[in-house]
Amino acid sequence: GIRDIGVTGVQTCALPISNTTTLAPTASAGGLIHIEAVSVALGGNISVDGASGGHIEINAGQRLSLAEKVSARGFAGAGGTIDYASGGGILESGTSYTDASGTTDGGNVSVNAASGVASSGHYSVAGGTGSGARIDMTGSSVYLLSGELDPSGAMGGGRIRIGGEFQGGKLPDLPDTASVANHLFVRRWEDSVALASADTTFINDSTSLNVNGGSGQGGTVIVWSNSQTTFIGSMDARGATGGGAVEIS
């Protein structure tokens, strides 16, 4: 069957709400979908679900809007990878759902918009029997309004970075590598790419961040901006063997 779909070199790419693009049966690993245009509007469902989740890349030169379900779920293994990037802004409605969860471990999601992110969307990289994975979201500004980010896991919570890295990426020259804080805030991110810092980050009171670790340790949440950070949402970083860690700066 078809393993890859690519759309590049067009000015505008619009997937209407009546359309569904699905790649790969659940008995094999999910495939790859790559969409690239000056403007991208997703109003239909896109899926690379499989035994392990596939990979979805969506790159917009100026504008990206999300309104329906994008999924790279792993039905017999780990979730896949979903990357959203825009040289302008990303606008996401409350009907948008990004799902890279896995039956074992979760997958990874990255959201990066040069001109800022305004999202009421729902994100899951939850681990069914294992650990949650990673959600990164940044831009010149980040506004989460009634959104939901869920990297929870049965055996360990995952990681969320909104608006930047721990301390904006400004680590001490000689960090205390033996400290608990270093483990939770720094070493947990050693497999992660660098993340640009937002100037403004705003998370409203109906947004929830869930890095619950189930029977393991809670995950890590970093909410950062260079100038103004507002957090009035809810957060769960509990874990049976130990709580997680949260930075709001």
Side-chain angles (χ1 to χ4, degrees):
I2 297 174
R3 302 300 303 157
D4 303 294
I5 294 176
V7 179
T8 60
V10 297
Q11 290 296 308
T12 301
C13 179
L15 181 64
I17 197 168
S18 58
N19 285 359
T20 299
T21 301
T22 303
L23 204 61
T26 59
S28 61
L32 167 68
I33 291 177
H34 176 87
I35 298 173
E36 185 171 352
V38 174
S39 297
V40 180
L42 296 183
N45 298 329
I46 295 179
S47 171
V48 291
D49 297 342
S52 58
H55 188 183
I56 295 174
E57 300 173 339
I58 301 175
N59 298 320
Q62 294 180 1
R63 294 176 300 277
L64 171 58
S65 61
L66 305 168
E68 286 297 323
K69 187 169 185 177
V70 178
S71 65
R73 294 173 293 174
F75 292 126
T81 301
I82 300 174
D83 296 320
Y84 300 135
S86 174
I90 293 178
L91 179 64
E92 189 169 17
S93 72
T95 58
S96 176
Y97 198 105
T98 298
D99 190 351
S101 60
T103 300
T104 55
D105 296 328
N108 294 307
V109 172
S110 172
V111 183
N112 196 324
S115 296
V117 179
S119 174
S120 297
H122 305 268
Y123 289 81
S124 176
V125 294
T129 60
S131 298
R134 184 180 76 246
I135 299 173
D136 286 341
M137 182 178 293
T138 196
S140 61
S141 61
V142 179
Y143 288 85
L144 288 178
L145 309 171
S146 302
E148 179 183 25
L149 278 63
D150 181 8
S152 61
M155 297 298 292
R159 300 164 290 173
I160 295 173
R161 296 189 296 182
I162 300 172
E165 303 177 46
F166 175 60
Q167 294 291 287
K170 299 181 287 289
L171 298 177
D173 293 333
L174 296 173
D176 181 2
T177 57
S179 71
V180 174
N182 182 271
H183 169 73
L184 292 174
F185 285 118
V186 180
R187 293 176 61 193
R188 274 190 172 184
W189 303 96
E190 288 178 341
D191 62 340
S192 302
V193 298
L195 196 65
S197 295
D199 292 324
T200 302
T201 298
F202 179 87
I203 299 176
N204 79 340
D205 57 354
S206 52
T207 294
S208 65
L209 310 179
N210 181 11
V211 291
N212 187 289
S215 59
Q217 186 173 25
T220 299
V221 176
I222 295 170
V223 180
W224 174 270
S225 76
N226 287 334
S227 300
Q228 182 174 348
T229 301
T230 304
F231 181 87
I232 49 178
S234 64
M235 194 179 302
D236 185 350
R238 294 172 295 174
T241 63
V246 175
E247 178 195 25
I248 301 174
S249 299

